[in-house]
Amino acid sequence: MATGEWELREEDDYEYEYEFDLDNPFTSPADEPIASLLDAEGHHAPSVSAAASAARRDAAAFISKVRFGGELAVHPRVAYLALNYVDRFLSKRQLLCEQQPWAPRLLAISCLSLASKMQRVAAVSIADIQRDEEFMFDEASVRRMERVVVGALEWRTRSVTPLAFLGFFLSACYPAPSHPTQVAAVKARAVDLLVRAQPEVKMAEFPPSVTAAAALLAAAGEVAAANLQAFQAGVAACPFVNSDKLRECGEVLAAACGVGPVRAAASADTPVTVLGHHRSASSASESDWTVGSAANGGGGEAKKRCMGPPSHWG
């Protein structure tokens, strides 16, 4: 099977370090981990045009089928990382689906195989995930495509995704006293929302940091509603979180996951959405849009933690 410009010589073999934690993609601790993540997220975010492409749609459909295919089901984080690789690859390269209709499936299979290696889970069986297909790619074809993917990613296989920001927001912004069981439940629900929302094309419009914040606020609204307002204040205190993008991302995420807007009351007459934006009936100016205002308290200490390098967060 010819692959045109993808064809690589056998001697062009590649080596890269397997295994990394999606929650902590760096190989060594950073002095200012949030600054390092923010610097890296722009290099790892997919383009909106790539996310809207026919190739991405077909590749995402195949990954979803494997993800939820009963006995073929793969680990959620493997599927999540695989689709991230697809998005990043398509942001660099184009697939000519009309001439090569098989290309998106080969890309999806190769990204699933690569992601399973990077996550150190049970290897994806190339034969099993293709059992219902009319034709199958052999191991050599998948291996060659893996090399093409890694090259297109410029060897940056340690993707910076929204999962990498969860620890920061929970440590720097979640109100004290933080109960480990509750925090773990909020994080688990946020991960579930992120995995479910990832195929939605519009999610590509938002940087990973904003997506992580939106997922955590939505999760807190479901799991720990009593702490939602203070958590909103903490997130709002982070100077790198754009309030408009946060609101928009939360709306897209809620629609993609089929969940309703989560609300918490700042007062009897001032509703606060899950994204923390409240607006009085008498004011429509941008300056009146706040999250956790001074009247609430709750945001000051979080702002100090967000403005400086955090000393403790995982």
Side-chain angles (χ1 to χ4, degrees):
M1 176 183 62
T3 55
E5 66 174 13
W6 300 345
E7 197 69 53
L8 298 179
R9 299 170 300 173
E10 289 302 322
E11 58 266 30
D12 291 336
D13 207 354
Y14 69 117
E15 294 293 338
Y16 54 86
E17 183 183 357
Y18 287 142
E19 187 176 10
F20 84 105
D21 184 357
L22 276 164
D23 294 349
N24 184 20
F26 299 131
T27 55
S28 58
D31 293 332
E32 298 186 34
I34 188 59
S36 299
L37 285 173
L38 291 170
D39 181 63
E41 72 173 345
H43 299 293
H44 293 251
S47 69
V48 176
S49 60
S53 67
R56 199 265 191 177
R57 182 192 62 224
D58 293 347
F62 183 86
I63 291 173
S64 180
K65 183 178 73 172
V66 173
R67 165 75 179 89
F68 299 103
E71 61 187 71
L72 297 179
V74 300
H75 193 282
R77 291 194 177 218
V78 169
Y80 189 86
L81 181 59
L83 187 51
N84 174 267
Y85 285 158
V86 168
D87 286 338
R88 291 176 57 203
F89 176 85
L90 293 176
S91 297
K92 303 279 189 177
R93 306 277 285 272
Q94 287 186 332
L95 297 185
L96 303 178
C97 298
E98 292 184 1
Q99 293 88 344
Q100 301 168 326
W102 42 264
R105 184 160 62 90
L106 176 58
L107 175 62
I109 293 169
S110 301
C111 288
L112 281 166
S113 176
L114 181 59
S116 69
K117 295 171 184 176
M118 295 301 294
Q119 288 293 282
R120 283 289 176 95
V121 299
V124 171
S125 170
I126 302 302
D128 285 348
I129 64 176
Q130 302 182 82
R131 64 173 58 171
D132 297 326
E133 303 299 326
E134 292 184 6
F135 63 91
M136 298 175 62
F137 297 104
D138 58 22
E139 294 275 355
S141 296
V142 174
R143 177 71 171 171
R144 285 196 297 269
M145 190 61 192
E146 280 188 41
R147 297 207 301 269
V148 174
V149 170
V150 171
L153 300 185
E154 300 176 348
W155 309 95
R156 294 173 175 172
T157 52
R158 295 173 177 271
S159 291
V160 174
T161 72
L163 299 180
F165 290 88
L166 299 181
F168 168 77
F169 283 118
L170 287 172
S171 177
C173 306
Y174 201 77
S178 59
H179 302 287
T181 302
Q182 185 183 84
V183 171
V186 170
K187 182 177 181 179
R189 178 55 177 157
V191 170
D192 178 59
L193 292 173
L194 289 171
V195 171
R196 291 169 59 189
Q198 187 191 25
E200 167 58 48
V201 172
K202 290 184 178 180
M203 292 301 294
E205 298 177 6
F206 310 104
S209 55
V210 170
T211 304
L216 282 170
L217 290 176
E222 293 181 9
V223 177
N227 288 330
L228 177 58
Q229 187 174 337
F231 193 20
Q232 291 167 338
V235 172
C238 295
F240 57 84
V241 176
N242 180 285
S243 61
D244 290 332
K245 285 291 185 182
L246 183 63
R247 173 179 52 79
E248 294 170 12
C249 183
E251 292 171 353
V252 172
L253 184 143
C257 295
V259 297
V262 182
R263 297 178 178 273
S267 69
D269 57 355
T270 311
V272 182
T273 70
V274 67
L275 302 173
H277 297 278
H278 63 51
R279 198 177 195 183
S280 69
S282 61
S283 175
S285 69
E286 181 65 24
S287 62
D288 288 327
W289 285 68
T290 60
V291 186
S293 64
N296 296 332
E301 204 56 40
K303 185 172 184 178
K304 293 178 183 177
R305 294 195 295 269
C306 287
M307 291 295 289
S311 57
H312 301 289
W313 61 279

